[in-house]
Amino acid sequence: MRLFAFAPLSLVAALAVAAPAHAQTAAEAQAFVDAAEKRLFDESIDASRIEWVNATYITDDTDALVAESSAALTELRVQYALEAAKFEKAPGLSPELKRKLDKLRGGITLPAPTRDGAATELANLSTGLQSIYGKGRGTLNGKPINGSDIEAAMGTNRNPAELKEMWTSWHDNVGAPMRADYAKLIALTNEGAKELGYADAGAMWRSNYDMPPAEFAKLTDALWGEVKPLYDALHCFTRDKLNEKYGDQVQAETGPIRADLLGNMWAQEWGNIYDIVAPAGAGDLGYDITDLLVAKQYDPIKMVKGGEGFFSSLGFAPLPESFWQRSMFTKPADREVQCHASAWDIDNKDDLRIKMCIKVNGDDFVTIHHELGHNYYQRAYNQQDYLHLDGANDGFHEAIGDMVALSITPEYLVQIGLLQQSQVPSADKDIGLLLRQAMDKVAFLPFGLLIDKYRWGIFSGQIKPADYQSAWDALRLQYQGIEPPAERDESKFDAGAKYHIPASVPYTRYFLARLLQFQFYKAACDAAGWKGPLHRCSFYGDKEVGAKLNAMLEMGASKPWPDALEAFTSNREMSGKAMVEYFAPLKTWLDQQNRGKQCGW
């Protein structure tokens, strides 16, 4: 997800960063950081503009522009990172100055080596991989279908042969061509990370969480352990329902689930097949958000206005007029674009935008709330210093909009006029409501964890280029309990068919966000004085919650993330306990449904 760009910048021919040759002092470190922040602030504005044009108008020319400017900024940031490392042991550094130096040293997603030409090569590889994805096509009944449309079709099609065709063609056409260049990108990135003093680029990515990289890896494993029983129960139930619908020849009664049957190209969220798993009585919600949006004649703009309305109800100022003038809400008919939804802050102040190819459906209504969460976060911290223009950690940034989306309850839909009071499901429908949520929120958890486990393994050398496909399949089986619908060999690169791999977007943030959003949601509901079941809570319209939320958002990255977490939740530890509490009634019900079944894989 593109939040704001540290990539491209106005082109720089020579990059010289002054640094003292003698023993460094805290005063010199401060002067260095001040100069770096000013330069990066200025350059990032051109950077964002160039990236925006490329993302919304993909041509060979815009690819070349973004690659060239990205290379220049990467070289600059690598130079700053190298200089920041020299101040690491300077005496008298304040905690804030030390954190800023660490951010300069470790905050580059793709650090280029300093040797001549390396930054340009890395930028060209990165841009080329994203371009392959952006122009990607699969097939349906032998006819080409673009990325946005094939995603939608995967959610509604119930023909196993056609699902297999779409899944296989997308992964073959988009992922496989990237394989060789991806290996080159990994090698260059690792070379750059080692120059900066990290064991590898994976360790560098894990260093951005106010704790040693190894401790952070252990934390993610511990968090997964808290919620894994919930996922295992959902997997067992879902597999049984798929077996009932398709039969043993398509989906076996035991073992892993066939990946293309889960309503999503990557099997990362399963909500699109809720109609298959919804049990009689308990599963009928009585409404469908997509149907409600269509009935009320919502178009993409009205959907975004709806998302804005939630934040306005909490006391946040309306989005600027430029947001409506400059955002990309729908897919243009005349050019290639990156349809993957993202939120942008072009000028580090108030030039906020989203980029989406919105379709009038429930999924995109939720995604809009998510993306706007980024925009309101960006605006809340826009008075911070440049290096603090970020979330407390990247999981925070992803969690804010999702916390709001959890408030898309039936009661909220009544408040905004989408649902009639008479259509609000009674308490006996709660299992259905929770199951529908779990098909997205819980199903995502292992996928959110394994994307970076895969890349960490590649960066560390544990996964060799010759094993890219088999390692991917093994992790998908281990964590998700799924298998591909067709034979895969080492000519493939299925990981590349997921946007965040060619775009080199660290993914653990999404795993953390799935847990943090429930922590934030529970804290908001507690602050609102909610007394009912947690999953029925909506804090829409509660300005006290909005003020408390804004106080955390305004902190940006100026304090370690436990401080920000404590400011809103009164707790300093990330945890899966709030999610477990939210879904506790469903877990009890799933265990009853799974009794006597051979769960696991």
Side-chain angles (χ1 to χ4, degrees):
M1 184 150 309
R2 188 74 60 204
L3 306 181
F4 52 89
F6 276 130
L9 106 127
S10 45
L11 307 183
V12 187
L15 298 162
V17 182
H22 55 274
Q24 286 79 20
T25 66
E28 288 168 336
Q30 187 65 62
F32 161 72
V33 166
D34 290 346
E37 285 195 291
K38 184 179 187 309
R39 177 80 178 274
L40 288 169
F41 183 99
D42 293 342
E43 299 291 4
S44 71
I45 297 173
D46 281 347
S48 298
R49 287 172 177 154
I50 294 170
E51 251 194 26
W52 175 265
V53 171
N54 180 241
T56 59
Y57 205 111
I58 302 174
T59 68
D60 290 344
D61 291 330
T62 62
D63 279 355
L65 287 170
V66 80
E68 189 172 2
S69 60
S70 179
L73 183 57
T74 298
E75 287 183 354
L76 179 63
R77 298 202 74 224
V78 167
Q79 289 297 321
Y80 280 144
L82 290 167
E83 298 302 334
K86 296 177 183 177
F87 289 104
E88 190 173 8
K89 296 183 178 178
L93 297 175
S94 68
E96 179 179 334
L97 181 55
K98 177 69 165 61
R99 287 184 80 245
K100 284 187 173 183
L101 288 166
D102 287 344
K103 280 181 172 291
L104 281 170
R105 176 170 167 256
I108 312 172
T109 303
L110 296 178
T114 54
R115 57 183 171 79
D116 287 347
T120 298
E121 183 182 0
L122 184 59
N124 286 336
L125 287 167
S126 177
T127 302
L129 290 169
Q130 292 183 68
S131 187
I132 291 172
Y133 188 93
K135 297 174 183 177
R137 296 285 187 276
T139 65
L140 175 58
N141 295 318
K143 297 177 181 177
I145 179 170
N146 68 41
S148 177
D149 291 341
I150 202 171
E151 281 189 47
M154 287 291 291
T156 57
N157 195 305
R158 299 293 181 259
N159 181 316
E162 292 179 357
L163 289 168
K164 180 178 179 180
E165 178 198 355
M166 287 190 286
W167 190 99
T168 305
S169 63
W170 178 260
H171 285 80
D172 286 356
N173 297 347
V174 177
M178 299 178 183
R179 183 174 174 133
D181 280 350
Y182 190 75
K184 295 175 185 175
L185 179 135
I186 290 292
L188 280 170
T189 303
N190 257 351
E191 187 182 342
K194 289 174 181 176
E195 280 191 41
L196 295 172
Y198 295 95
D200 57 66
M204 186 173 177
W205 287 13
R206 295 191 300 276
S207 72
N208 291 307
Y209 293 93
D210 297 300
M211 62 176 64
E215 282 187 28
F216 178 69
K218 289 179 182 176
L219 173 62
T220 61
D221 288 337
L223 291 170
W224 169 235
E226 288 184 324
V227 293
K228 185 178 186 296
L230 189 55
Y231 177 80
D232 290 348
L234 182 66
H235 180 282
C236 189
F237 177 77
T238 302
R239 181 185 60 199
D240 187 59
K241 292 297 181 181
L242 289 169
N243 173 257
E244 285 182 13
K245 178 171 179 62
Y246 292 116
D248 293 345
Q249 296 305 309
V250 174
Q251 175 57 59
E253 195 174 359
T254 60
I257 297 174
R258 204 176 102 172
D260 59 325
L261 302 179
L262 288 163
N264 176 273
M265 182 63 77
W266 308 279
Q268 68 181 64
E269 291 171 327
W270 307 347
N272 286 328
I273 63 160
Y274 178 73
D275 60 296
I276 294 176
V277 305
D284 179 15
L285 305 186
Y287 71 90
D288 178 86
I289 294 180
T290 298
D291 294 342
L292 296 176
L293 293 168
V294 172
K296 293 292 185 179
Q297 298 183 320
Y298 271 66
D299 59 19
I301 298 297
K302 191 174 181 181
M303 289 169 69
V304 181
K305 288 285 187 182
E308 180 190 40
F310 194 108
F311 288 92
S312 295
S313 83
L314 300 179
F316 289 88
L319 292 163
E321 186 59 32
S322 59
F323 171 88
W324 303 102
Q325 297 167 346
R326 299 171 185 173
S327 291
M328 186 187 86
F329 299 115
T330 57
K331 189 179 190 306
D334 62 342
R335 63 184 190 268
E336 299 286 354
V337 299
Q338 289 179 12
C339 274
H340 184 86
S342 54
W344 299 61
D345 176 10
I346 300 294
D347 66 353
N348 304 318
K349 289 296 180 186
D350 58 7
D351 188 356
L352 306 171
R353 310 177 191 181
I354 62 170
K355 171 184 63 63
M356 286 184 67
C357 298
I358 298 172
K359 296 181 183 298
V360 180
N361 61 43
D363 281 351
D364 280 8
F365 190 60
V366 171
T367 298
I368 286 164
H369 285 73
H370 172 94
E371 298 304 334
L372 293 184
H374 288 302
N375 286 143
Y376 282 95
Y377 204 166
Q378 289 161 336
R379 185 167 65 180
Y381 58 57
N382 68 9
Q383 299 301 309
Q384 293 287 348
D385 294 341
Y386 179 77
L387 289 171
H388 294 156
L389 294 175
D390 203 351
N393 68 38
D394 51 11
F396 275 63
H397 233 305
E398 301 301 331
I400 298 304
D402 281 347
M403 171 193 70
V404 169
L406 286 173
S407 262
I408 302 178
T409 61
E411 289 77 6
Y412 163 64
L413 297 175
V414 170
Q415 287 176 292
I416 63 172
L418 267 178
L419 191 68
Q420 298 297 317
Q421 184 66 48
S422 61
Q423 295 175 286
V424 173
S426 54
D428 64 344
K429 304 296 186 184
D430 277 9
I431 292 301
L433 289 166
L434 286 169
L435 180 58
R436 178 61 184 85
Q437 280 279 36
M439 294 293 284
D440 284 342
K441 302 294 186 181
V442 176
F444 176 83
L445 291 167
F447 185 80
L449 187 64
L450 71 85
I451 291 280
D452 277 352
K453 281 191 172 291
Y454 176 72
R455 287 188 288 197
W456 294 347
I458 291 175
F459 283 132
S460 72
Q462 181 182 353
I463 298 173
K464 309 294 185 189
D467 301 318
Y468 277 179
Q469 183 61 39
S470 60
W472 175 254
D473 289 338
L475 280 168
R476 298 263 273 170
L477 179 62
Q478 177 186 348
Y479 284 95
Q480 288 185 280
I482 66 169
E483 61 184 358
E487 287 295 321
R488 315 306 287 162
D489 59 34
E490 289 301 337
S491 68
K492 311 301 182 188
F493 181 51
D494 287 353
K498 173 63 181 170
Y499 168 81
H500 299 74
I501 298 287
S504 295
V505 178
Y507 209 76
T508 306
R509 62 184 64 174
Y510 301 105
F511 172 73
L512 299 178
R514 287 296 155 116
L515 304 179
L516 282 168
Q517 66 186 261
F518 286 92
Q519 280 190 270
F520 292 157
Y521 177 70
K522 178 172 169 51
C525 292
D526 288 347
W530 179 258
K531 300 302 182 185
L534 184 57
H535 63 273
R536 285 276 186 162
C537 165
S538 177
F539 50 87
Y540 175 80
D542 195 309
K543 290 183 169 52
E544 287 187 21
V545 170
K548 191 173 183 182
L549 174 61
N550 191 59
M552 178 180 74
L553 301 185
E554 286 179 338
M555 294 169 68
S558 64
K559 301 289 184 184
W561 64 260
D563 293 354
L565 183 63
E566 186 176 31
F568 189 59
T569 69
S570 303
N571 194 309
R572 296 183 61 81
E573 293 184 1
M574 286 189 283
S575 168
K577 291 183 176 63
M579 176 184 254
V580 170
E581 176 186 341
Y582 183 97
F583 287 111
L586 176 67
K587 176 63 162 60
T588 300
W589 183 85
L590 286 172
D591 288 344
Q592 293 169 348
Q593 305 304 307
N594 293 334
R595 194 170 295 146
K597 302 283 172 55
Q598 186 178 328
C599 294
W601 55 87

